[in-house]
Amino acid sequence: MSRPRIVIVGAGFAGYRTARTLSRLTRHQADITLLNPTDYFLYLPLLPQVAAGILEPRRVSVSLSGTLPQVRLVLGEADGIDLDGHTVHYTGPEGEEGTLPFDRLVLAAGSVNKLLPIPGVAEHAHGFRGLPEALYLRDHVTRQVELAAAADDRAECAARCTFVVVGAGYTGTEVAAHGAMYTDAQVRKHPMRTGMRPRWMLLDVAPRVMPEMDERLSRTAERVLRQRGVDVRMGTSVKEATHDGVVLTDGSTVDTRTLVWCVGVRPDPLVESLGLPVERGRLLVDPHLQVPGRPELFACGDVAAVPDLNQPGQYTPMTAQHAWRHGKVCAQNVAASLGLGERRAYRHRDMGFVVDLGGAKAAANPLGVPMSGPAAGAVTRGYHLAAMPGNRVRVAADWLLDAVLPRQAVQLGLVRSWSVPLESSSPEVARVPGGPERTGKDTGPAGQRPGAEETKNHPDTESARNQPGGEPAKGRPGDEPAKGQPGGEPAKGRPGGEPAKGQPGGEAAKRQPGGGSGGAQGHGGRGRTGPSGSPRASGKPRRAVEAAGPRPDRGGTGKPGRAPRASGAGSGGRRPTAPSGPSRSAGPPADPGPEPPANQPPPGPDIAPGPVKRTDGRAAEGDS
């Protein structure tokens, strides 16, 4: 008799814990497959320390194959799920497609950046959900301080050394706290010629910092921020974002080159493609984390609306603490469904929260006891070391080195601005030239960007009223879409806008990196949607492999990345005529288009040569 097949989608806190517990409970009596875009588990709570130069990126990245030896790892992203056929369709990192059969399926796909219909935010802001975004922010902040120090104009210097963080939750508060310390250390040794110092702003429409925490801890965090010079503005958010600054809801304008979006998260859109009951985008499950009517389907983490047995009528919040505990209970119940052990309902006990504010400062309430200062700092770091599934010695070593040595404030330029778009549904993977696009699944019903709907339809760790953008903007459901906003009339020069001429294989959007149009756009410019409006309901890849409109003819090889053979000039999808030398065809030579800028990366195997421009409207070499 064959062993049961268990497929786990996602290796976040919930998925990783499920896989690790299941491998221990089944003891080789089941085949466990883990589907994830990356080969590591990311410990998100320490991500702000990566952006601040305290920890190296690999310290917060725990190897999946190294810590889960009994689990088969498949790199890829789930595109569609056939519940009746018991299969998961996925797209690999190089565009290849595959199918995974299952007897039990665990959905732990996690969450993505939450967007609101604020003009300019999608184009000029960056999120903070993945390792590439943290690396980009570290390089970007370092670059802006260096450029500000070299500037003679006071206005330019002030704009470059002003950093705006939107969202005063856990992530936003830690980013602002660590960022202020990082930039102050930079200018301490190399003061700016204009006599200015870096300025950090923390905005939120909530009445206080970290409204989820106890009021005393909230005051502690705000006091530390203000002592470090952070401009904390509660009841204020961004009304409009541009390349040169932001307009706030109070009418004031702030000149800045940095906008960090930490408003919140929403469940992975994969849930919408299932056609099952959801609660604010989260899949409804019973207290055993099982989907009613689907005995083979389990869900945990941010994609699952798990009933809170301690507070009847409510659901557990989308936090890492709950996701980690979901994973253990889900694994036990999956094993019980195979005849190994007994089922148990998910019931939690609040163990408190910790917030690292940098240095020896922190705010914590372990077991309900509020703490601040160095004692809270020791408890916070001790908690993180105990909670991490690996790399504890390396993390402790980096903390020790940071305490005795100055930080290395250098920019490596490994992640560019267009590689980490805010609208990306896969913040854990940076976009690369010639690689599969990852914006296809960001197209919601009627082509509208998820997150541009009313706040009540997309959950967050904070309440809906505590989100910026309270006034409905054009582009929401029922309103006229705003021009240039996803779901509205495409703006020229943006992905999905006016196509660039002279590109083979279809006309690509002018400003799309790699010369391609955005996401899973077909010939008609609309993504394929299923019954629930998700572009992945049909089982097609949620990441469009081709970035330049229709897929070029590959000559029947079927291998991704292989350039097609040119059988003529001027045909769509065929190799364009070389810029130099006469054409061999009887007709006039085809226009190859303008020469690409010298500072652009070379085109990948699936990208037609031609001009490649940025999507954020910023200078290609400055990323500022």
Side-chain angles (χ1 to χ4, degrees):
M1 182 178 179
S2 61
R3 296 187 298 181
R5 298 162 299 185
I6 304 173
V7 174
I8 304 172
V9 178
F13 279 90
Y16 180 86
R17 187 78 182 278
T18 301
R20 192 172 73 170
T21 306
L22 264 176
S23 64
R24 176 178 55 86
L25 294 176
T26 56
R27 297 183 182 275
H28 306 284
Q29 300 182 45
D31 292 330
I32 306 174
T33 301
L34 181 60
L35 178 64
N36 197 59
T38 63
D39 63 349
Y40 60 83
F41 158 74
L42 178 63
Y43 190 76
L44 272 170
L46 293 182
L47 203 58
Q49 298 191 25
V50 174
I54 301 175
L55 297 177
E56 290 302 315
R58 286 184 295 177
R59 305 297 184 257
V60 299
S61 309
V62 180
S63 171
L64 296 178
S65 58
T67 56
L68 301 174
Q70 308 301 326
V71 177
R72 176 195 174 201
L73 173 63
V74 176
L75 294 179
E77 296 188 53
D79 304 320
I81 298 175
D82 184 357
L83 294 177
D84 296 329
H86 284 209
T87 55
V88 176
H89 306 277
Y90 70 92
T91 302
E94 296 182 353
E96 68 278 11
E97 299 180 12
T99 302
L100 296 175
F102 65 83
D103 297 305
R104 298 292 186 274
L105 176 64
V106 178
L107 281 182
S111 55
V112 297
N113 288 318
K114 179 179 182 178
L115 302 180
L116 296 174
I118 301 177
V121 167
E123 293 79 14
H124 303 289
H126 290 280
F128 201 80
R129 289 288 301 167
L131 198 55
E133 293 173 323
L135 294 177
Y136 167 76
L137 182 61
R138 177 177 173 178
D139 275 4
H140 176 77
V141 170
T142 304
R143 181 185 306 116
Q144 295 309 307
V145 173
E146 292 170 348
L147 293 175
D152 294 323
D153 182 63
R154 290 184 61 87
E156 179 185 357
C157 179
R160 291 194 179 278
C161 64
T162 299
F163 309 95
V164 179
V165 181
V166 184
Y170 297 104
T171 302
T173 300
E174 290 187 345
V175 168
H178 283 281
M181 291 187 64
Y182 180 62
T183 53
D184 285 346
Q186 278 188 266
V187 301
R188 190 175 298 118
K189 292 186 177 181
H190 303 283
M192 299 183 183
R193 289 187 289 180
T194 57
M196 293 184 176
R197 58 166 295 179
R199 175 194 181 194
W200 284 78
M201 298 181 64
L202 181 61
L203 312 176
D204 203 311
V205 296
R208 57 186 175 90
V209 174
M210 294 186 300
E212 312 91 347
M213 294 190 68
D214 181 83
E215 189 172 354
R216 289 173 293 181
L217 299 180
S218 177
R219 289 197 301 265
T220 298
E222 183 172 352
R223 182 175 65 253
V224 172
L225 290 172
R226 295 189 183 278
Q227 288 174 352
R228 293 181 183 167
V230 178
D231 185 0
V232 181
R233 299 192 184 184
M234 294 293 98
T236 306
S237 186
V238 173
K239 183 178 180 180
E240 181 181 0
T242 65
H243 169 59
D244 299 321
V246 294
V247 179
L248 305 184
T249 53
D250 59 6
S252 60
T253 301
V254 178
D255 294 333
T256 181
R257 302 291 190 273
T258 308
L259 181 59
V260 187
W261 192 256
C262 300
V263 167
V265 295
R266 60 184 175 88
D268 192 292
L270 176 64
V271 174
E272 301 174 0
S273 67
L274 300 178
L276 298 175
V278 296
E279 171 64 27
R280 301 180 65 189
R282 304 164 72 185
L283 191 62
L284 283 173
V285 297
D286 59 23
H288 300 92
L289 306 181
Q290 194 168 21
V291 177
R294 289 287 181 176
E296 77 283 2
L297 180 58
F298 296 79
C300 55
D302 290 350
V303 298
V306 182
D308 191 342
L309 299 183
N310 296 330
Q311 303 181 35
Q314 299 187 20
Y315 301 95
T316 58
M318 298 167 62
T319 63
Q321 186 178 117
H322 281 286
W324 187 253
R325 299 176 182 179
H326 285 175
K328 181 179 179 180
V329 176
C330 184
Q332 293 173 338
N333 292 334
V334 171
S337 69
L338 300 175
L340 304 173
E342 298 181 357
R343 294 203 313 167
R344 56 170 294 193
Y346 178 75
R347 186 184 297 272
H348 72 95
R349 179 190 176 194
D350 190 1
M351 303 296 291
F353 296 93
V354 294
V355 179
D356 190 346
L357 300 175
K361 302 296 182 66
N365 61 341
L367 301 177
V369 179
M371 302 177 64
S372 61
V379 169
T380 298
R381 296 201 167 183
Y383 169 79
H384 287 315
L385 286 180
M388 289 193 68
N391 297 346
R392 296 187 181 95
V393 175
R394 291 184 172 91
V395 170
D398 276 5
W399 283 342
L400 179 61
L401 292 175
D402 180 71
V404 298
L405 297 176
R407 299 181 194 175
Q408 295 175 302
V410 295
Q411 49 166 323
L412 302 179
L414 300 178
V415 181
R416 311 302 289 179
S417 176
W418 56 266
S419 299
V420 284
L422 182 63
E423 290 184 287
S424 173
S425 57
S426 300
E428 66 274 15
V429 181
R431 182 186 299 174
V432 296
E437 294 293 340
R438 294 176 176 86
T439 56
K441 71 175 182 179
D442 287 333
T443 306
Q448 183 176 354
R449 182 185 75 237
E453 301 180 12
E454 295 187 17
T455 313
K456 66 179 181 180
N457 293 329
H458 291 295
D460 188 12
T461 53
E462 303 174 12
S463 60
R465 65 174 180 272
N466 289 335
Q467 301 303 330
E471 182 179 353
K474 292 184 179 181
R476 295 192 180 205
D479 293 336
E480 180 184 354
K483 294 184 178 181
Q485 295 296 330
E489 179 182 347
K492 296 183 179 180
R494 295 183 184 173
E498 181 179 343
K501 298 181 179 180
Q503 297 294 336
E507 297 181 345
K510 287 185 178 180
R511 303 183 64 178
Q512 179 71 15
S517 60
Q521 299 294 330
H523 298 274
R526 295 183 181 179
R528 299 183 62 179
T529 59
S532 62
S534 171
R536 292 185 288 169
S538 62
K540 295 295 181 181
R542 64 179 177 178
R543 303 182 299 166
V545 180
E546 292 296 333
R551 181 186 294 271
D553 181 16
R554 301 187 183 277
T557 61
K559 297 181 180 180
R562 176 168 297 181
R565 296 181 180 180
S567 58
S571 299
R574 296 179 180 176
R575 182 173 297 177
T577 305
S580 60
S583 172
R584 295 187 180 183
S585 61
D591 183 11
E595 293 277 341
N599 58 358
Q600 291 294 338
D606 289 335
I607 296 184
V612 183
K613 297 183 180 180
R614 301 173 54 86
T615 58
D616 54 5
R618 302 180 180 179
E621 66 278 5
D623 273 352
S624 57

